Amino acid sequence: MAVDTTSPSSQPNRAAILVVLALGTFILGLSEFSMMPMLPLISEAFGSTPSQSGYTISAYALGVVVGAPILMLATANMRKQKALLLFLSLMCIANSLSALASSLEQLVLFRFLSGLPHGAYFGAALLLASDIAPAGKRASFMSKVFMGLTVATIVGVPVVTLVGQNLSWRYCLAGAGVLAFIAFIFVYYVVPNVKNTQKSNLLNELGVLKNKLVWSILGIVIIGFGGVFCIYTYVADTILDVTQSPAYTISIAMVMFGIGSTLGNYILGKAADKSAIKTTGLTLASTIIFAFAYVSASYNIYLLYLVIFFIGCSLGLSTLVQTLLMDVSPNGHAMIGALVQCAFNIANAIGPWVGGIAIAQGAQPNQTGYVAGVLFLGGLFMWWLSFIQINNKSAKQTAAAY
């Protein structure tokens, strides 16, 4: 499914294509992450409990899990420009409807619809970035597309948090709809409408599901990344109830998380070009430490900012996992793109859920750090299983060569 970038005229457009693709992931980051600090506002608007309002987050994640494989397979042989335009149209409509929701039930439904194109857009955009990347630069090119989401956590989420607190959360979702329309225009004019040079085969795509190594790598995300969302979801409650800092410090914490995720995405993307598997293990091990540190750091706002920054760095794992999966499975990249997004959003559902269970049992919001640490440890275990399989596979290939 590679895009033809061999002609001289296509080479200067690489940077522009990456920027436009990143605009789409910025919108997805805004749509997904902005709801978490706005949960208290949702509860106030509809008279719901925090756990009931949390359904809006789980509904979005469920939409991604449902929509990613269906839309990716349905559009696998569609020209990438047309597929991206389709996904952006869905993002525009669903976010706009979310802004108009008159009940919590409607908002949950529209959030589910908003999640449907999320994984498909990410999958298509990352595959396009991989296709246009020069030799040895695939991971770093994909990380630049993912950079849109991390920038959203620095700029977009803190801004919409302030907008939501001072005006209405509805403006935030409406803004995501408007940005999706703007991105639609840029994709139409900047992304080349070229044919895919390789047709996708349904059997090859589904054949990925038979690869045990694919599932163990996805397990890193499903279990490990649940730790990120477990902490992130309850940061606002931690700051208000445990740290007892003013509401505006929530936005500062979101900025720190965003700066960490952006730097982590850039640095880990560079490291992944050399060794994605080793970088993944080191990152997971480090994040376990910061998850447990989060509990005690929550009593001092400045220490809390620092820990949240380092936890944000772990978002760079997304590029590493995508790279690992493409390395271990030469075929079925459309399905891989869908599976990665499904895995991240299963983690997005698991993290808040188990964190919410702990809080319901009497834990303080900052003690979600303990829960997150256990999830990261589970992710490290899945990494270890993957590492063993990759080493065994390499050893067999080396022996066969001799």
Side-chain angles (χ1 to χ4, degrees):
M1 293 187 292
V3 174
D4 181 14
T5 59
T6 57
S7 64
S9 60
S10 67
Q11 298 299 326
N13 293 330
R14 281 174 172 166
I17 293 171
L18 292 176
V19 170
V20 170
L21 295 178
L23 175 59
T25 61
F26 175 89
I27 299 165
L28 294 174
L30 195 66
S31 180
E32 181 173 20
F33 286 97
S34 64
M35 289 300 292
M36 296 171 185
M38 288 195 293
L39 282 184
L41 303 176
I42 300 297
S43 297
E44 182 181 351
F46 297 116
S48 55
T49 66
S51 59
Q52 289 172 334
S53 300
Y55 294 152
T56 59
I57 296 174
S58 298
Y60 187 96
L62 181 61
V64 179
V65 173
V66 172
I70 293 175
L71 291 177
M72 280 296 288
L73 290 176
T75 61
N77 287 318
M78 184 182 291
R79 295 188 183 193
K80 284 294 179 286
Q81 186 206 51
K82 291 184 177 179
L84 293 170
L85 291 174
L86 171 62
F87 304 147
L88 286 166
S89 298
L90 295 174
M91 290 158 58
C92 177
I93 294 170
N95 278 297
S96 300
L97 288 173
S98 297
L100 299 173
S102 59
S103 67
L104 181 62
E105 290 76 16
Q106 281 190 8
L107 182 58
V108 169
L109 173 61
F110 295 146
R111 287 288 293 167
F112 171 79
L113 297 178
S114 299
L116 291 176
H118 179 114
Y121 180 92
F122 248 116
L126 290 173
L127 288 178
L128 179 56
S130 174
D131 289 342
I132 66 174
K137 297 290 184 181
R138 183 174 64 184
S140 57
F141 261 54
M142 290 192 295
S143 72
K144 289 174 183 176
V145 172
F146 194 82
M147 190 76 73
L149 184 145
T150 61
V151 171
T153 61
I154 296 179
V155 181
V157 174
V159 168
V160 299
T161 300
L162 290 174
V163 170
Q165 290 170 344
N166 292 281
L167 295 175
S168 171
W169 55 270
R170 296 181 186 275
Y171 287 104
C172 305
L173 294 173
V178 172
L179 286 175
F181 177 73
I182 294 172
F184 180 98
I185 296 174
F186 277 113
V187 167
Y188 181 81
Y189 284 105
V190 175
V191 175
N193 185 26
V194 296
K195 293 182 178 180
N196 298 326
T197 57
Q198 182 179 344
K199 288 291 184 180
S200 175
N201 183 290
L202 183 60
L203 292 178
N204 286 338
E205 299 293 342
L206 295 176
V208 171
L209 303 177
K210 299 178 181 179
N211 191 331
K212 294 181 180 179
L213 184 53
V214 166
W215 288 108
S216 64
I217 293 174
L218 287 173
I220 297 173
V221 178
I222 294 172
I223 301 174
F225 242 77
V228 177
F229 295 115
C230 181
I231 289 177
Y232 190 88
T233 300
Y234 300 102
V235 164
D237 294 303
T238 296
I239 290 175
L240 294 176
D241 299 338
V242 180
T243 317
Q244 296 185 347
S245 291
Y248 74 84
T249 58
I250 297 173
S251 294
I252 299 175
M254 296 299 104
V255 170
M256 295 304 295
F257 182 91
I259 293 173
S261 62
T262 302
L263 289 177
N265 180 64
Y266 177 78
I267 294 171
L268 295 180
K270 290 287 187 180
D273 283 331
K274 297 181 179 179
S275 178
I277 187 66
K278 292 181 180 179
T279 307
T280 301
L282 289 173
T283 303
L284 283 167
S286 300
T287 310
I288 293 171
I289 298 172
F290 290 113
F292 286 112
Y294 175 81
V295 180
S296 56
S298 298
Y299 295 98
N300 182 294
I301 191 63
Y302 299 105
L303 288 177
L304 183 62
Y305 290 156
L306 183 63
V307 172
I308 288 174
F309 166 82
F310 283 111
I311 291 174
C313 290
S314 65
L315 273 186
L317 282 170
S318 58
T319 301
L320 274 66
V321 170
Q322 183 88 25
T323 303
L324 282 173
L325 287 171
M326 294 176 74
D327 286 342
V328 302
S329 182
N331 298 313
H333 287 178
M335 177 59 78
I336 284 175
L339 289 174
V340 169
Q341 295 307 311
C342 287
F344 273 107
N345 283 274
I346 292 174
N348 192 5
I350 290 175
W353 176 58
V354 295
I357 290 175
I359 292 173
Q361 295 298 317
Q364 293 297 309
N366 63 319
Q367 291 176 324
T368 53
Y370 291 137
V371 181
V374 173
L375 289 171
F376 284 128
L377 187 60
L380 185 62
F381 176 73
M382 297 306 298
W383 169 86
W384 178 71
L385 292 178
S386 303
F387 183 74
I388 290 175
Q389 292 181 71
I390 290 173
N391 276 353
N392 288 341
K393 185 177 180 180
S394 298
K396 289 180 180 178
Q397 291 174 345
T398 301
Y402 288 98

